[in-house]
Amino acid sequence: VNQFGDTSFSLVPNPTKGMFTINADVTKVQIFNLTGQLVKSFNNAAANESLSISELNQGVYFAKVTDSNLNEKTIKLIKE
């Protein structure tokens, strides 16, 4: 059973002013800018753990999230 589908995964708040959480345990979160450059990464984030991108400039980023089963999902993340 894939529990990492669209219905069970969310990243909030989005847009964010610097902190966000994911409602699932994940092994990796990679933040990319619009040109595809990796600008920040997190390892082994627990569900609802606060993750900070406060040092990044305002703009649009992509968060590539990987769970323990190596399922991946990319979601647009807006930094205000």
Side-chain angles (χ1 to χ4, degrees), residues 7-28:
T7 56
S8 65
F9 169 78
S10 66
L11 187 152
V12 292
N14 190 8
T16 178
K17 297 204 181 299
M19 301 289 285
F20 66 93
T21 63
I22 299 170
N23 70 334
D25 291 332
V26 296
T27 56
K28 190 186 306 181

Side-chain angles (χ1 to χ4, degrees), residues 6-77:
D6 290 328
T7 56
S8 65
F9 169 78
S10 66
L11 187 152
V12 292
N14 190 8
T16 178
K17 297 204 181 299
M19 301 289 285
F20 66 93
T21 63
I22 299 170
N23 70 334
D25 291 332
V26 296
T27 56
K28 190 186 306 181
V29 180
Q30 296 173 296
I31 309 296
F32 295 91
N33 63 19
L34 288 177
T35 63
Q37 179 184 10
L38 178 65
V39 293
K40 179 101 185 199
S41 63
F42 306 92
N43 290 313
N44 300 315
N48 301 313
E49 178 181 342
S50 291
L51 304 175
S52 174
I53 58 167
S54 57
E55 72 280 4
L56 299 180
N57 293 327
Q58 292 181 352
V60 177
Y61 296 89
F62 292 98
K64 181 178 176 184
V65 182
T66 307
D67 73 2
S68 60
N69 296 320
L70 301 181
N71 295 309
E72 293 180 345
K73 180 170 180 164
T74 301
I75 187 166
K76 183 165 64 172
L77 175 63

